[in-house]
């Protein structure tokens, strides 16, 4: 049996503001924007080339037995690209406040690209949810 990660819920305070940020600034594709029940709205967006989407919700009850996430409390979301410099330039040109390209070294994070799998940049959405962009040596389909 396959277990595929397909949707990650991102906790936001304002679904319209978050939708605009992810679609217009980050470049995610809007797959769904629907009121699935009275007062319950789901917006699903997918990064270009990704097999996993994010969901922004309002009015959705919490999952049974799980703690709710406060807007901005999600960190560690990570996407991969094959050209970190191009990703940095694209995000910055779209108005995303993005960190410099960095790599992990013996003394922590250092500016500039690193070796294979060791080049990153970081940004946050308007609520403070934290994203990492990592450079991969090849597209996912080729790995």
């Amino acid at each position: 049996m396959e277990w595929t990660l397909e949707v990650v819920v991102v906790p936001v305070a304002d679904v319209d503001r978050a939708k605009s940020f992810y679609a217009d600034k980050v470049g995610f594709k809007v797959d769904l924007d629907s009121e699935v029940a009275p007062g319950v709205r789901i917006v699903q967006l997918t990064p270009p080339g990704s097999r996993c989407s994010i969901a922004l919700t309002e009015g959705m009850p919490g999952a049974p037995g799980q703690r709710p996430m406060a807007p901005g409390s999600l960190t560690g979301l990570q996407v991969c690209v094959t050209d970190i410099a191009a990703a940095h330039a694209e995000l910055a040109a779209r108005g995303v406040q993005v960190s410099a390209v960095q790599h992990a070294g013996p003394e922590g994070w250092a500016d500039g690209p690193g070796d294979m799998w060791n080049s990153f940049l970081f940004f946050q959405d308007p609520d403070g949810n934290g994203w990492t962009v990592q450079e991969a040596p090849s597209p996912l389909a080729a790995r």
Side-chain angles (χ1 to χ4, degrees), residues 33-55:
D33 184 345
S34 181
E35 186 174 49
V36 296
V40 179
R41 180 176 170 208
I42 299 175
V43 176
Q44 187 167 314
L45 304 102
T46 304
S50 181
R51 297 178 185 167
C52 185
S53 302
I54 64 169

Side-chain angles (χ1 to χ4, degrees), residues 2 16-17 21 46 49 54 65 71 92 112 118-119 132-133 138:
E2 290 185 1
D16 288 317
R17 178 182 70 178
F21 174 80
T46 304
I54 64 169
N118 192 14
S119 296
T132 299
V133 179
S138 60

Side-chain angles (χ1 to χ4, degrees), residues 60-79:
M60 186 86 156
Q66 295 182 8
R67 289 174 288 146
M69 290 186 290
S73 65
L74 190 59
T75 62
L77 293 162
Q78 187 163 320
V79 293

Side-chain angles (χ1 to χ4, degrees), residues 65-119:
Q66 295 182 8
R67 289 174 288 146
M69 290 186 290
S73 65
L74 190 59
T75 62
L77 293 162
Q78 187 163 320
V79 293
C80 290
V81 298
T82 56
D83 187 337
I84 198 79
H88 185 277
E90 182 177 323
L91 289 171
R94 291 179 171 202
V96 177
Q97 290 187 351
V98 61
S99 75
V101 173
Q102 300 175 37
H103 66 277
E107 297 179 21
W109 292 104
D111 285 345
D115 292 328
M116 189 179 309
W117 291 105
N118 192 14
S119 296

